[in-house]
Amino acid sequence: MIAYIARRVLLMVPTLFGIMVLNFFIVQAAPGGPVEQMIAQIKGTAIGAAERIPGSGGGESAGPRESGTASNVGEGGKTRGARGLDPELVKEIQRLYGFDKPIHLRFAQMIGQYVTFDFGDSFFRDRRVVDLVLEKMPVSISLGLWTTLLTYLISIPLGVAKAVRDGTPFDIWTSAAVIIGYAIPGFMFAIVLIVVFAGGSYLSWFPLRGLVSDGWSDLAWPARIADYFWHLALPLTAMIVGGFASLTMLTKNSFLDEINKQYVVTARAKGLPRQRVLYGHVFRNAMLLVVAGFPAAFVGILFTSSLLIETIFSLDGLGLLGFEAALGRDYPIMFGTLFFFTMLGLIMGLIGDLMYMIIDPRIDFESREV
């Protein structure tokens, strides 16, 4: 298995490089780069170009920083929207943003920095990108990890119970609940929760902003834990409602498929108790696909589900950071978060494959081609 892990790790390098290359050159074609936005702001036509992303303390935007990322600057130094400005001023803006170099040199500089995990400085926040990512990471990790764990803790027992009671009133009613949960978008349910439980129109049981309360560090540890989950209660509920449906049905169908196999019939014919057959033989085989998909499910929730929830509940995480960076053309943050998410996804994919072997030792990775 060590050889398989080594091959997968080596494969991550060209995969990550290809993703960064593709996104770098896609950004080249996107209009409204940071240099163009700064020029538009100088000419009085910008619409919050530099102010679109607030500073770390809520203050004004900081000045531009040098970086090896991309912009909509031609190889001849011409920038769309620069007419009417002093050419020397335009060149100075390009130099401040690091866009006075040819495209291939900017890309080489960026990759050289990323090899040493140097993601540069934000264009519009006076902060290093790595510091911003580390600052926002606890919010996104909290949402992704707890949502995935709770979804599995709910879906697996419910799916097993539905499989064992297939066709009964319990199965029918829980299927109706699963369908309703699947039909309601997470962000819509989040709004309903806010209106009902967070002071929208009825109750004010839960906070609406942040991951912890002011003065959290002064609380005792039991109070800190309670305050942390008090803030997470509504966001996690909104994310779980839409996420447990598909996993519940996958668990049920996996169990039903295993229950109908010949080895189960043989075990029952030998007189083994029903519970021993279900949880001693069927469970391990049925859960192979479900449990091994845990890393991929975590990455999927972290990628796709957290952005709207972070926005609705004012949770300042990586999803919101990357989204605001894309709107404000803060390329160092855009590529830094892309690098982080891609690396995390590749690592979780490897962990997911290894979990197959942990659940079922009969799987042989040494004889498998990457």
Side-chain angles (χ1 to χ4, degrees):
M1 182 171 60
I2 295 177
Y4 173 77
I5 295 176
R7 292 197 302 268
R8 286 292 299 272
V9 171
L10 290 176
L11 186 62
M12 290 180 186
V13 177
T15 302
L16 184 61
F17 180 80
I19 292 173
M20 297 303 296
V21 169
L22 181 63
N23 283 273
F24 182 89
F25 288 100
I26 287 177
V27 167
Q28 293 290 311
V35 173
E36 288 181 321
Q37 292 199 24
M38 181 58 69
I39 291 173
Q41 185 183 18
I42 292 174
K43 295 175 66 176
T45 60
I47 307 176
E51 291 79 16
R52 192 176 283 127
I53 304 178
S56 58
E60 295 296 325
S61 301
R65 297 284 178 177
E66 283 197 35
S67 177
T69 48
S71 179
N72 299 98
V73 182
E75 296 300 329
K78 297 179 181 179
T79 305
R80 292 193 295 269
R83 295 180 180 178
L85 290 182
D86 185 354
E88 292 299 322
L89 175 60
V90 175
K91 291 181 180 180
E92 179 65 17
I93 295 173
Q94 294 174 5
R95 187 192 66 78
L96 289 174
Y97 281 107
F99 301 131
D100 55 332
K101 306 178 183 69
I103 181 174
H104 64 281
L105 293 181
R106 296 199 300 270
F107 178 75
Q109 179 184 343
M110 184 185 76
I111 295 299
Q113 291 174 343
Y114 282 20
V115 168
T116 60
F117 295 95
D118 177 11
F119 302 105
D121 297 333
S122 167
F123 285 157
F124 304 119
R125 301 174 186 239
D126 193 16
R127 302 281 302 279
R128 295 170 60 226
V129 172
V130 66
D131 292 337
L132 287 169
V133 170
L134 292 176
E135 178 184 305
K136 313 301 182 184
M137 192 181 299
V139 173
S140 296
I141 295 296
S142 293
L143 289 175
L145 183 61
W146 288 115
T147 300
T148 308
L149 286 174
L150 291 174
T151 299
Y152 269 73
L153 289 175
I154 294 171
S155 299
I156 292 178
L158 181 59
V160 172
K162 286 174 63 62
V164 173
R165 299 171 178 82
D166 184 41
T168 64
F170 172 82
D171 181 41
I172 295 173
W173 284 108
T174 53
S175 294
V178 166
I179 292 173
I180 293 173
Y182 185 76
I184 301 176
F187 70 90
M188 184 66 68
F189 193 70
I191 295 174
V192 173
L193 291 175
I194 290 175
V195 171
V196 177
F197 296 107
S201 298
Y202 301 96
L203 305 173
S204 298
W205 290 354
F206 296 95
L208 186 57
R209 299 178 62 86
L211 194 61
V212 293
S213 301
D214 295 335
W216 179 82
S217 58
D218 298 329
L219 300 175
W221 274 110
R224 290 186 186 184
I225 296 173
D227 182 78
Y228 170 72
F229 283 107
W230 182 46
H231 282 75
L232 279 178
L234 295 187
L236 289 181
T237 302
M239 295 179 71
I240 290 170
V241 165
F244 83 99
S246 57
L247 184 59
T248 299
M249 298 309 297
L250 175 62
T251 304
K252 175 190 174 181
N253 293 332
S254 297
F255 250 78
L256 287 177
D257 184 58
E258 291 295 324
I259 288 173
N260 294 325
K261 289 185 176 180
Q262 184 61 42
Y263 76 89
V264 177
V265 177
T266 303
R268 292 300 303 274
K270 290 181 177 181
L272 292 179
R274 183 169 180 267
Q275 295 297 318
R276 183 177 176 184
V277 173
L278 287 176
Y279 297 101
H281 297 277
V282 175
F283 187 82
R284 186 182 69 177
N285 295 328
M287 289 297 100
L288 178 62
L289 179 63
V290 176
V291 177
F294 181 90
F298 169 70
V299 173
I301 291 172
L302 194 64
F303 280 164
T304 61
S305 301
S306 61
L307 173 58
L308 289 175
I309 298 300
E310 288 178 11
T311 303
I312 293 172
F313 288 97
S314 300
L315 298 172
D316 195 7
L318 287 175
L320 187 59
L321 176 68
F323 178 70
E324 290 180 340
L327 290 181
R329 303 300 193 269
D330 199 336
Y331 291 143
I333 295 180
M334 287 175 58
F335 287 113
T337 53
L338 173 66
F339 184 91
F340 168 77
F341 280 128
T342 304
M343 179 68 73
L344 180 62
L346 294 172
I347 293 173
M348 286 297 180
L350 175 60
I351 293 174
D353 282 351
L354 297 182
M355 287 186 68
Y356 280 102
M357 191 207 67
I358 296 174
I359 298 170
D360 189 350
R362 295 172 297 178
I363 297 177
D364 183 13
F365 283 103
E366 293 293 344
S367 60
R368 176 180 173 182
E369 295 294 333
V370 179

